[in-house]
Every structure is written in structure tokens, then in C-alpha cells.
């Protein structure tokens, strides 16, 4: 079953977020250890505001457990949604100049993170989550949906290209080059 995330999903969702974000999880949390990063991701998840808040997440539930997640939002909301993380990092590092890299363009719906538990990979859950996010973008009358994928992740790039995404530029996130991929969508018909 696909459904909006709830605070109760935090334990599984924070693990799924970490698995998808890897080095970006450490950047966003300011933590060096995996366990500490997962703990802070869980704190971000249960907040009412923020890019990684449960309010921005769709969950795939199987057997009463979150086994996949998709984090998405309007590009025009990115700055506002980044604010809690930026404030956390500025306080943690005592550095008021900290900013996050811009990933989303203002005029697009953005898929920030997509993650499926390794036990449930290759069962179509990722595709189901992508379709749900695309439907949300249509419902909100966006004509573009976007995501970022590491330039050297050939498999993911090919998968997204088969799904209709095209590289429109390269962006830098946490010092690494990502392809910013865009798909045009029509809101005339929901899948």
C-alpha cells in the first residue's frame, strides 16, 4: 500500500534515507558515524517542517512496515524546506554562513530521495513510488518533474532515461557532480 508517511515510520524511514543519501546524509546531519547520521535523519523526519519531514514523504508499506520511500516537493519550496536543516547545521558548527546546495529549480516538482529496502528491491516498488510522485506533480499542475543522479551511476541514469527523464544540466551536490534530469509531464490524465 502507498500512503503518506507518518511519524511512526521514523525508524525505517531514517534508515532508507541514509541508504539513499550516503555522503549527503553526513553533510545534512553534520555527523561522521552512520548511527549518529541515522539518528539525526530520524529527528529531521519527525519534524513538522523540512525537506526530510514526514510531510514530504510517500511510503510503500508491506506487512505493516515502510519498505520504500519517496521524498518530493515543489522546487519553489526548496529554500523554505531547507531552512530547518540549515539552522541545525549553523548551530552545530557555529557557522552562520552554511548553506545547502541548490538541487531543484523553482518551476519543477523535485524528487529529492527515492529509496527501497534491499530486501524488496527489483519488485517494482521504486517504479510505483516514482509513479505516485509523478501523479502528485500532475495533481499540483506541474509540467516538469526532476531528480538528480550521480554522473557515474550509469545504471540509475539509464533507468531514469527509460522512464522519460533527460539530462538537462549538471549540478554539484556536496562536492560531487550530479546529472539534473527532467521529465515533461502532462496533468491532463492521472495514472
Amino acid at each position: 500500500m502507498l500512503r503518506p508517511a507518518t511519524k511512526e515510520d521514523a525508524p525505517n524511514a531514517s534508515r532508507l534515507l541514509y541508504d539513499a543519501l550516503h555522503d549527503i546524509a553526513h553533510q545534512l546531519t553534520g555527523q561522521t558515524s552512520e548511527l549518529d547520521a541515522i539518528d539525526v535523519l530520524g529527528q529531521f523526519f519527525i519534524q513538522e517542517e523540512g525537506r526530510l519531514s514526514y510531510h514530504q514523504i510517500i511510503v510503500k508499506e508491506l506487512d505493516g512496515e515502510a519498505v520504500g520511500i519517496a521524498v518530493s516537493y515543489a522546487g519553489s519550496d526548496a529554500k523554505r524546506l531547507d531552512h530547518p536543516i540549515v539552522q541545525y547545521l549553523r548551530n552545530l558548527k557555529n557557522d552562520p554562513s552554511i548553506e545547502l546546495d541548490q538541487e531543484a529549480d523553482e518551476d519543477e516538482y523535485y524528487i529529492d530521495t527515492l529509496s527501497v529496502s534491499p530486501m524488496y528491491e527489483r519488485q517494482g516498488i521504486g517504479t510505483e513510488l516514482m509513479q505516485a510522485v509523478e501523479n502528485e506533480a500532475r495533481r499540483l499542475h506541474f509540467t516538469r518533474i526532476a531528480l538528480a543522479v550521480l554522473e557515474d551511476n550509469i545504471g540509475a541514469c539509464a533507468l531514469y532515461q527509460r522512464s522519460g527523464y533527460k539530462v538537462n544540466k549538471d549540478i554539484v551536490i556536496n562536492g560531487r557532480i550530479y546529472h539534473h534530469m527532467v521529465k515533461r509531464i502532462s496533468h491532463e490524465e492521472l495514472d
Side-chain angles (χ1 to χ4, degrees):
M1 157 175 77
L2 284 179
R3 60 170 174 78
T6 65
K7 288 183 179 184
E8 290 72 29
D9 294 314
N12 286 2
S14 56
R15 175 81 241 179
L16 290 166
L17 285 167
Y18 183 84
D19 289 348
L21 295 170
H22 304 290
D23 62 314
I24 295 172
H26 293 281
Q27 175 204 23
L28 294 176
T29 64
Q31 303 300 315
T32 54
S33 84
E34 180 177 319
L35 288 177
D36 289 341
I38 290 170
D39 181 58
V40 174
L41 288 171
Q43 293 171 36
F44 289 160
F45 181 85
I46 62 171
Q47 290 180 347
E48 295 301 316
E49 287 285 326
R51 156 195 330 198
L52 301 177
S53 162
Y54 71 99
H55 289 292
Q56 304 308 129
I57 299 176
I58 296 172
V59 166
K60 172 64 176 187
E61 179 184 311
L62 287 175
D63 301 322
E65 192 172 298
V67 299
I69 59 168
V71 179
S72 61
Y73 45 83
S76 58
D77 291 339
K79 205 72 150 153
R80 176 181 59 79
L81 292 171
D82 282 348
H83 184 74
I85 296 171
V86 169
Q87 287 307 116
Y88 163 83
L89 288 170
R90 287 177 178 176
N91 291 337
L92 179 71
K93 303 204 179 249
N94 196 24
D95 181 352
S97 69
I98 290 176
E99 293 289 338
L100 295 180
D101 298 315
Q102 181 182 339
E103 298 178 32
D105 290 342
E106 291 269 323
D107 65 339
E108 66 194 17
Y109 200 73
Y110 187 68
I111 301 171
D112 183 288
T113 309
L114 181 71
S115 183
V116 176
S117 169
M119 291 175 25
Y120 294 92
E121 289 177 343
R122 306 217 186 290
Q123 295 181 25
I125 292 171
T127 301
E128 192 177 351
L129 286 164
M130 289 280 294
Q131 196 61 244
V133 172
E134 289 179 11
N135 286 340
E136 179 67 3
R138 283 183 189 95
R139 188 185 70 73
L140 295 171
H141 301 287
F142 281 88
T143 58
R144 292 169 17 121
I145 189 162
L147 52 83
V149 62
L150 271 168
E151 69 172 341
D152 60 359
N153 191 340
I154 310 287
C157 284
L159 172 70
Y160 294 134
Q161 285 173 330
R162 283 193 302 274
S163 297
Y165 288 83
K166 294 180 174 42
V167 176
N168 75 330
K169 63 183 173 182
D170 287 338
I171 59 175
V172 176
I173 304 171
N174 197 29
R176 299 180 72 187
I177 298 173
Y178 283 72
H179 292 315
H180 181 268
M181 301 182 77
V182 175
K183 178 179 181 178
R184 293 242 172 249
I185 56 174
S186 135
H187 52 76
E188 293 170 2
E189 182 179 321
L190 291 176
D191 294 332

